[in-house]
Amino acid sequence: MDAIKAPSYRRIYVWELPVRAFHWINGICILLLGVTGYLIGRPFAVISEQEASFQYWFGTVRFLHFAAGYLFLINMLARIYWGFVGNRYANWKQFIPTRRKWFTEVADVLRVDVLQTRVQGKIHIGHNRLAGFIYFLSFWVYGFQALTGFALYAAMSPSWIGRAAAAVIPGTWNDMGVRQWHHAGLWFFVLFTIIHVYLVFYHDYVEGRGTTSSMVGGWKFEREDYFKS
Amino acid sequence: MAEPRSTIWETMQERGHSRRDFLQFCAYAATLAGIAPAAHGKVAEAFEKKARPPVIWLHFQECTCCSESFIRAEHPVVADVLMDAISLDYTETLQAASGHAAEKCKADTMKAYAGKYILLVEGSVPTEADGVYCCIGGRTALDILKEAAAGAAAVIAWGNCASYGCVQNAKPNPTGATPISKLIGKPVINVPGCPPIADVMVGVVTHILVFGRPPELDAQGRPKEFYGRRVHDTCYRRPTYDAGMFVETWDDDAARKGYCLYHMGCRGPVTYNACAVTKWNERTSYPIQSGHGCIGCSENQFWDNGPFYQHLPSFPGFGIESTADKIGLAAGAAAAVGVAAHAISTNIRKRGLIHEHVAESVTENKSE
Ligand code: SF4
């Protein structure tokens, strides 16, 4: 046992408050949007003796969906803004692999995740390079969902956001098609959530750097020798 | 060769209608076209003074349901007069002439009124195999359409066929059925529906007659005055939709009570048309009022968005039984299984690594 020397760790403030706030607001929005969205696509019928004018449950579900949609959009825009003014781990450049070194890391992370080998090189302190890139792609899906969602909303609201979104969608796409793809987008979030939550736990487990709690307190831990080489 | 054409007022007089009939007709037509009462005088003036524009009505890949609908316009005077008013110079289904005489009549009109006549097209145009799937008088539909469109002052596409291709254009579209707006280099007024509502057809023609220009169109080329709102927005079952009171099978209590058909695949929320307002057959009813969901017949590609009795359409490439939900659920389940398997394998394969981590902490504790 003596052969193993206890390494010392350094504490790094990685996720600033706006980043953490974005993450959790986003998560709550997605949960709410997902549940209400699913219900909008497949509602259950109310069995009641009351007249329709005394009830509004489906209307309420739709209201929640629209309200959460607005929050989701604003939150997303705020995060994009923070990508320009936040710390280096929040910067937009973190999400697009450009340098050769980054691709090596992507390959390394893929090996760690899929083949379950040991980490060969270094895994970046912020988002690992693969995760960063996946989040970059997710943002496009967020944008797509916001666009198709608000385009559908345009038919029932005078809001300019809706009209603007509808104007961007090609005129030959009818609402049925937009609704189909917007609905299909829901399943991206289901898959994303399953895999994302699992991988956070997994990396926390095999790396021991406090990945999971970092999104609560903002701190990650890194071996002292990480900073040397 | 072109004798001076009479006005609508003159035509009506010839047919024995009174001035009162004429004004009634004007008011009715104006209301249909969405013209404010203050301007109804203008309509009467237009119908009194403007010569009736000659009209050519072409029939291609269609079932004649648009014509059938048109002759059932609600007001008898409208039905009677407008057919005459627009002075149909050529239409295969209704004209008395046939053969060479009919073709000559059309050719004469096109020549004499080049740039002035209104072209109404019913049916899509096949483009596969050089267009042999629809030939009239030895010429292909495409040829006939191009010739007629060249000199037209306005082109109206009647019905979903001419506007979007309708069922002929549904996958796999063996004849290459094509909407006319894709074939002629001119703006086309799409008046979709299968068929379009008679009063909407009359309204569009009236608009052109009165204002001398096409109505304002939406992104899909439909007049906004009739296709600006969804069937769902004016549906009388809407309160049950908001309340979440849905029909779940065709014979349940909710169906008898006339609740919302959303669950049964009603396309009202994604269909822009005036059915719930104008209704059909002299305001008798419209599909939803008769207990059947809207099938979205005024929408592009509505045949490919089936099945009609299912809220979500089948997912492209996954067969008729598939929906985004079924595929998504399968993918979600696969991901969950994958994750579980991965977790188990992690605990086996990473045993060494975890031991090391544990050992580290043990050493740490010892050194205290
Ligand atoms: S029946 Fe159709 S159009 Fe009417 S409220 Fe229900 S979904 Fe909307």
Side-chain angles (χ1 to χ4, degrees), chain B residues 147-172:
Chain B
E147 186 196 19
V155 185
I156 301 181
W158 281 154
N160 200 301
C161 296
S163 301
Y164 308 131
C166 205
V167 72
Q168 312 74 294
N169 172 280
K171 290 185 189 88

Side-chain angles (χ1 to χ4, degrees), chain A residues 1 4 6-7 38 40-46 50 52 55-59 62 113 115-118 155-156 171-176 179-181 183-184 187 191 194 198 202 205-207 223, chain B residues 220 230 239 241-246 248 262-263 267 270 272 299-300 305 311-316 324-325 328-329 331-332 339 342-343 345-347 349-350 352-354 356-357 359-360 363-364:
Chain A
M1 278 292 182
I4 303 162
Y38 183 79
I40 290 170
R42 180 175 275 275
F44 51 85
V46 166
Q50 275 193 316
Q55 304 177 56
Y56 199 65
W57 100 260
F58 197 53
R62 291 171 66 245
D113 288 353
L115 305 174
Q116 302 186 320
T117 58
R118 286 196 174 210
M156 52 198 105
T172 46
W173 280 36
N174 56 22
D175 283 7
M176 191 75 186
R179 174 161 93 182
Q180 164 92 313
W181 288 107
H183 191 98
W187 292 100
L191 292 186
I194 295 173
Y198 175 73
Y202 171 73
Y205 189 43
V206 300
E207 290 168 15
R223 279 168 194 255
Chain B
Q220 298 198 30
R230 301 172 301 167
Y241 167 87
D242 286 326
M245 298 156 91
F246 300 112
E248 288 191 306
Y262 185 74
H263 221 118
R267 302 289 192 251
V270 287
Y272 294 78
E299 292 294 323
N300 209 341
N305 283 333
H311 174 75
L312 280 181
S314 54
F315 206 75
D325 280 348
L329 198 64
V339 158
H342 194 277
S345 130
T346 302
N347 279 297
R349 296 205 46 186
K350 298 278 178 185
L353 183 73
I354 301 300
E356 266 175 41
H357 289 176
E360 276 175 18
T363 324
E364 182 96 323

Side-chain angles (χ1 to χ4, degrees), chain B residues 159-218:
Chain B
N160 200 301
C161 296
S163 301
Y164 308 131
C166 205
V167 72
Q168 312 74 294
N169 172 280
K171 290 185 189 88
N173 190 3
T175 66
T178 311
I180 63 158
S181 58
K182 291 206 178 135
L183 298 171
I184 58 174
K186 274 196 170 174
V188 172
I189 305 165
N190 287 335
V191 185
C194 195
I197 304 167
D199 298 306
V200 167
M201 300 171 84
V202 171
V204 174
V205 173
T206 308
H207 190 113
I208 295 175
L209 287 184
V210 174
F211 293 108
R213 62 183 144 79
E216 203 190 333
L217 306 178
D218 71 3

Side-chain angles (χ1 to χ4, degrees), chain B residues 32-55:
Chain B
L32 264 182
I35 299 164
H40 283 190
K42 267 220 180 83
V43 177
E45 211 178 292
F47 285 169
E48 207 170 0
K49 301 216 180 98
K50 277 191 204 160
R52 302 174 302 154
V55 169

Side-chain angles (χ1 to χ4, degrees), chain B:
Chain B
M1 125 149 13
E3 77 267 25
R5 303 188 78 100
S6 52
T7 67
I8 291 180
W9 169 223
E10 283 161 5
T11 317
M12 282 187 78
Q13 278 173 307
E14 275 164 30
R15 298 196 135 230
H17 287 295
S18 66
R19 180 75 184 169
R20 177 177 286 267
D21 284 346
F22 172 68
L23 290 177
Q24 243 175 21
F25 164 74
C26 293
Y28 183 77
T31 311
L32 264 182
I35 299 164
H40 283 190
K42 267 220 180 83
V43 177
E45 211 178 292
F47 285 169
E48 207 170 0
K49 301 216 180 98
K50 277 191 204 160
R52 302 174 302 154
V55 169
I56 294 174
W57 184 318
L58 296 176
H59 297 253
F60 300 130
Q61 288 180 299
E62 45 90 328
C63 71
T64 318
C65 77
C66 301
S67 302
E68 288 287 345
S69 178
F70 189 76
I71 58 176
R72 277 165 186 74
E74 182 182 344
H75 204 291
V77 183
V78 175
D80 186 18
V81 174
L82 214 69
M83 286 306 277
D84 244 25
I86 56 176
S87 97
L88 224 40
D89 285 22
Y90 180 89
T91 175
E92 282 96 342
T93 17
L94 297 170
Q95 67 199 355
S98 65
H100 292 301
E103 295 300 321
K104 182 172 179 301
C105 176
K106 185 178 74 171
D108 288 349
T109 305
M110 288 196 301
K111 213 160 106 206
Y113 298 97
K116 292 203 188 79
Y117 60 89
I118 301 177
L119 179 66
L120 311 177
V121 184
E122 186 175 348
S124 57
V125 172
T127 52
E128 283 290 313
D130 294 327
V132 294
Y133 296 109
C134 181
C135 290
I136 299 155
R139 294 168 66 198
T140 64
L142 184 61
D143 196 25
I144 298 171
L145 172 69
K146 285 211 160 135
E147 186 196 19
V155 185
I156 301 181
W158 281 154
N160 200 301
C161 296
S163 301
Y164 308 131
C166 205
V167 72
Q168 312 74 294
N169 172 280
K171 290 185 189 88
N173 190 3
T175 66
T178 311
I180 63 158
S181 58
K182 291 206 178 135
L183 298 171
I184 58 174
K186 274 196 170 174
V188 172
I189 305 165
N190 287 335
V191 185
C194 195
I197 304 167
D199 298 306
V200 167
M201 300 171 84
V202 171
V204 174
V205 173
T206 308
H207 190 113
I208 295 175
L209 287 184
V210 174
F211 293 108
R213 62 183 144 79
E216 203 190 333
L217 306 178
D218 71 3
Q220 298 198 30
R222 302 174 290 200
K224 277 188 182 163
E225 55 206 30
F226 301 111
Y227 296 90
R229 280 197 292 173
R230 301 172 301 167
V231 170
H232 184 63
D233 294 324
T234 44
C235 178
Y236 79 106
R237 297 194 182 197
R238 180 62 189 263
T240 56
Y241 167 87
D242 286 326
M245 298 156 91
F246 300 112
V247 173
E248 288 191 306
T249 55
W250 290 114
D251 54 358
D252 65 5
D253 198 37
R256 269 191 295 279
K257 285 181 176 153
Y259 289 173
C260 172
L261 297 164
Y262 185 74
H263 221 118
M264 306 308 293
C266 178
R267 302 289 192 251
V270 287
T271 302
Y272 294 78
N273 208 341
C275 297
V277 180
T278 61
K279 301 200 183 166
W280 293 76
N281 300 322
E282 301 177 20
R283 278 157 221 248
T284 308
S285 181
Y286 71 110
I288 294 162
Q289 194 176 340
S290 306
H292 190 285
C294 167
I295 61 171
C297 75
S298 59
E299 292 294 323
N300 209 341
Q301 306 281 288
F302 77 101
W303 291 101
D304 288 331
N305 283 333
F308 290 145
Y309 302 103
Q310 196 171 290
H311 174 75
L312 280 181
S314 54
F315 206 75
F318 286 84
I320 195 94
E321 294 290 330
S322 67
T323 61
D325 280 348
K326 282 191 190 160
I327 296 160
L329 198 64
V337 170
V339 158
H342 194 277
I344 295 166
S345 130
T346 302
N347 279 297
I348 298 166
R349 296 205 46 186
K350 298 278 178 185
R351 201 184 281 148
L353 183 73
I354 301 300
H355 273 312
E356 266 175 41
H357 289 176
V358 172
E360 276 175 18
S361 12
V362 170
T363 324
E364 182 96 323
N365 290 341
K366 270 186 192 158
S367 65
E368 266 172 21

